[in-house]
Amino acid sequence: MVEKIEKVKSGIPGFDDIVKGGIPKGDVILLTGTPGAGKTTFAMQFLAYGARNGEKGLYFTLEESANSIIKQFSIFNSQVSDLIKAGNLKIVEIPLIDFDTFKETITAEIEAMSANRVVIDSVTYLQMFFSDVMSIRKGIIEISTILRTHNTQGILIGEIPYGENKLSSFGVEEFAADAVVALYLIEREGTFLRAIRVVKMRGTDHLTKFCPMEITDNGIVIYPNAELFAEIH
């Protein structure tokens, strides 16, 4: 008898249709994309949905200030400040001191809040702590292990460099995650198209095609039954 995999809802319209009902519980996702592709919006939408439905969320930022992230996402969700005041959502700025401090901060915040959903933005900044790619991969695996050990639903944000045909900055991030979700902002004939693709998601069937995506006044909306009007190379 095949054991049924428990799934959680992302809260992003259209995404759960791509992954056949939701994200496998406890998985760590690498959310990667070019600058401006919508990674922060996707991640905050994921956390806010959980926070509205009894799941506490943590957003760790290594680059932007907490106020900047709140301001960005308030455009799509006016309730974000209320979720923070209620203690269901928290944004934590992590100083780039050393990797042990980084891990200790993540662990302490998760345990103090009993967080269910966690976002780390971004793993690209691990290059500040390590001098070689394999050490970066080891560091990402250590972070993923912390998230799994605490039974959180984790998202690690990464970067797709402009003009390069790869999924991450270092080429190792995708191997340390259970799933890889890539966001794209493609210029075609003077206009820009947004797209999303689930590259891998262990333990569940999913669409593998590029699906059109929009960032609307209410946040990200994905259209899994539609086709892009241009090929992506």
Side-chain angles (χ1 to χ4, degrees):
M1 182 177 177
V2 178
E3 184 179 352
K4 187 175 181 180
I5 295 174
E6 186 177 357
K7 294 187 175 184
V8 299
K9 300 292 185 182
S10 68
I12 297 166
F15 184 77
D16 293 334
D17 294 325
I18 293 176
V19 294
K20 309 299 183 182
I23 303 164
K25 187 174 177 61
D27 272 11
V28 175
I29 294 173
L30 173 66
L31 177 65
T32 187
T34 53
K39 299 183 296 296
T40 300
T41 302
F42 186 107
M44 282 295 292
Q45 209 166 326
F46 168 80
L47 291 182
Y49 176 83
R52 291 195 306 270
N53 290 277
E55 295 183 304
K56 294 186 175 183
L58 269 172
Y59 192 111
F60 293 102
T61 173
L62 284 82
E63 179 182 13
E64 294 189 76
S65 69
N67 286 336
S68 175
I69 292 170
I70 292 168
K71 184 177 180 181
Q72 287 180 55
F73 193 66
S74 293
I75 297 171
F76 309 111
N77 190 327
S78 60
Q79 298 177 333
V80 65
S81 295
D82 294 334
L83 294 172
I84 292 172
K85 289 176 183 176
N88 295 322
L89 181 62
K90 185 177 182 180
I91 301 174
V92 178
E93 299 175 24
I94 301 185
L96 292 169
I97 300 173
D98 57 61
F99 188 58
D100 286 337
T101 302
F102 179 81
K103 291 189 296 181
E104 288 166 5
T105 301
I106 291 171
T107 301
E109 292 285 353
I110 290 173
E111 291 177 352
M113 191 184 196
S114 296
N116 306 101
R117 299 186 178 208
V118 177
V119 172
I120 298 175
D121 183 9
S122 74
V123 292
T124 303
Y125 279 83
L126 292 185
Q127 65 182 315
M128 302 291 186
F129 304 132
F130 303 110
S131 59
D132 62 276
V133 171
M134 292 314 297
S135 294
I136 291 173
R137 179 177 181 176
K138 181 176 178 290
I140 295 171
I141 290 172
E142 288 186 47
I143 294 168
S144 298
T145 298
I146 292 171
L147 299 181
R148 294 189 188 100
T149 300
H150 289 83
N151 297 314
T152 65
Q153 205 71 35
I155 289 181
L156 307 177
I157 293 180
E159 295 282 344
I160 295 177
Y162 274 127
E164 294 189 32
N165 187 25
K166 58 182 185 178
L167 291 168
S168 57
S169 294
F170 310 111
V172 297
E173 297 91 317
E174 55 266 39
F175 300 107
D178 301 300
V180 178
V181 177
L183 306 183
Y184 299 89
L185 183 61
I186 315 110
E187 184 177 5
R188 285 291 186 273
E189 298 178 355
T191 188
F192 286 91
L193 301 173
R194 294 187 183 275
I196 184 170
R197 181 183 175 218
V198 176
V199 180
K200 75 170 184 178
M201 188 165 286
R202 296 171 184 162
T204 186
D205 189 21
H206 60 85
L207 299 180
T208 57
K209 69 174 185 175
F210 293 91
C211 296
M213 183 184 95
E214 286 184 330
I215 298 182
T216 71
D217 291 342
N218 296 314
I220 287 174
V221 177
I222 299 163
Y223 304 98
N225 296 321
E227 301 293 335
L228 283 177
F229 294 104
E231 293 182 357
I232 301 175
H233 297 287

